[in-house]
């Protein structure tokens, strides 16, 4: 009788160990699935953010170019000769004794 009990105890402990291992494997599998889904989602977001970054860098380059042009124009406006040239060209201002002739361009 002692041997029968000893054998059944070993079988019960083996069955319990198998159940614990199976439960552990299921838990590990669930964690791996969660990790894969998270990585997949993050890679999609990373791709979207990379595209947005490229667009924003392009816009930044355009704005910096415009800023440099504005700085050049501002520095030119401090020059009296440039002011005079600009006024004569854009506003059609004339010096004393000059006559302005406005010639219209023919339309095509």
């Amino acid at each position: 009788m002692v041997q029968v009990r000893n054998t059944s105890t070993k079988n019960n402990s083996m069955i319990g160990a198998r159940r614990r291992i199976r439960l552990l494997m299921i838990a590990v599998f669930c964690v791996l699935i969660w990790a894969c889904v998270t990585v997949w989602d993050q890679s999609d977001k990373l791709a979207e953010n990379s595209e947005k970054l490229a667009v924003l860098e392009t816009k930044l380059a355009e704005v910096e170019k415009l800023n440099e042009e504005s700085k050049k124009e501002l520095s030119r406006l401090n020059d009296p000769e440039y002011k005079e040239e600009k006024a004569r060209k854009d506003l059609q201002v004339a010096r004393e004794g000059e006559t302005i002739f406005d010639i219209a361009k023919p339309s095509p």
Side-chain angles (χ1 to χ4, degrees):
M1 245 336 180
V2 174
Q3 287 181 336
V4 173
R5 280 188 168 178
N6 196 9
T7 306
S8 66
T9 306
K10 286 182 181 180
N11 284 340
N12 287 340
S13 67
M14 289 294 284
I15 291 173
R18 286 182 184 159
R19 285 182 185 166
R20 285 190 293 273
I21 289 174
R22 190 179 307 146
L23 183 62
L24 179 65
M25 291 303 239
I26 290 171
V28 168
F29 183 71
C30 289
V31 169
L32 284 176
I33 289 177
W34 172 79
C36 289
V37 168
T38 302
V39 167
W40 184 271
D41 187 44
Q42 292 295 321
S43 67
D44 288 344
K45 288 180 182 179
L46 181 63
E48 289 174 14
N49 288 340
S50 295
E51 291 174 8
K52 288 179 184 177
L53 179 63
V55 169
L56 290 175
E57 285 177 342
T58 304
K59 286 182 181 179
L60 178 63
E62 292 173 1
V63 168
E64 285 176 344
K65 183 179 177 183
L66 181 63
N67 190 21
E68 287 299 318
E69 291 172 0
S70 297
K71 285 181 180 179
K72 286 179 184 178
E73 182 72 18
L74 183 63
S75 67
R76 284 190 215 145
L77 286 174
N78 290 329
D79 182 21
E81 290 177 12
Y82 183 75
K83 285 183 191 177
E84 181 182 344
E85 179 186 332
K86 190 88 166 156
R88 293 179 85 181
K89 182 180 176 186
D90 294 341
L91 303 175
Q92 297 184 358
V93 175
R95 291 184 183 164
E96 272 187 47
E98 287 184 342
T99 306
I100 297 177
F101 295 100
D102 191 20
I103 301 173
K105 295 180 181 177
S107 59

